[in-house]
Amino acid sequence: EIAVEIASAASVFQQRRVFLRTALRLRSRAALPTPPLAQTARQMPQRPDNMRVPHPVNWTRRVVNYAAGAFLLATCLAHFPGLTAPPYPHYDFLKSMVPPWIPLPSSFHVLWTGAAEAMIGLTMITTHSCESAQWGFFLIVLFTPAHVHHYKTDLPLPDGTIASFSLHVFRWIMQLVFLAVFAYLGWFSKDKPERARRRSNRKDQ
């Protein structure tokens, strides 16, 4: 019986020893300070500059982007009377195209759409971003009521003549072409250099 009690006491002592050792080990791990996330990211190995893979540039998209941005910068000149020679026939023609049911003066809409064309065109040329092309797409959609009003009322052109039906058809076709171009640049272009560059920078950080 004494041997049994000694064996049971030894077993209990061994269990308590294992328990205390495990508790001390867990306590020491919990006491260690955890490094902040920024420090951990700083300690991660970064890719050397000579191993970075350059992203290919879609020159077709780049050329179309430059052409669309230059087109917007050229057309915005007609929206500001001080940038063209008097008597500003294009500015007066654009004011007459604004439907009468749109609130605020027609000159206000001509000026803010011209400013929007200038900003979008400049952004497309300098950044090649898809977002600027998307804004250009929506701006062309906003011009649709003006073209419909011009077709219904037969407004005279800047040279004083009346636009023929074939000219209206040509204008609608060109508007669809512009919408397709800006949609291609904004959503359907395969090469998006600025987004690929952002993803690469995030991976290297």
Side-chain angles (χ1 to χ4, degrees), residues 47-178:
R47 187 186 305 171
D49 294 335
N50 57 356
M51 294 182 61
R52 296 187 180 183
V53 180
H55 300 284
V57 177
N58 188 345
W59 288 108
T60 301
R61 182 190 186 279
R62 187 65 62 88
V63 171
V64 174
N65 180 82
Y66 283 140
F71 170 78
L72 290 179
L73 290 178
T75 55
C76 77
L77 300 178
H79 291 250
F80 302 100
L83 299 180
T84 57
Y88 316 122
H90 294 86
Y91 175 72
D92 297 331
F93 171 68
L94 292 177
K95 288 199 305 182
S96 64
M97 288 182 63
V98 179
W101 51 267
I102 296 181
L104 299 179
S106 58
S107 58
F108 169 76
H109 295 288
V110 174
L111 292 177
W112 81 259
T113 51
E117 287 182 353
M119 290 187 294
I120 293 173
L122 186 62
T123 307
M124 292 180 63
I125 292 177
T126 55
T127 64
H128 319 105
S129 63
C130 300
E131 290 78 7
S132 58
Q134 294 171 6
W135 282 109
F137 178 88
F138 295 130
L139 183 63
I140 295 178
V141 172
L142 289 178
F143 292 158
T144 303
H147 292 296
V148 173
H149 178 67
H150 183 210
Y151 173 74
K152 289 184 176 180
T153 56
D154 286 334
L155 297 172
L157 297 174
D159 57 358
T161 60
I162 302 298
S164 61
F165 178 75
S166 58
L167 182 60
H168 285 292
V169 173
F170 175 76
R171 175 177 292 178
W172 284 104
I173 293 176
M174 291 305 299
Q175 187 172 8
L176 293 177
V177 171
F178 291 144

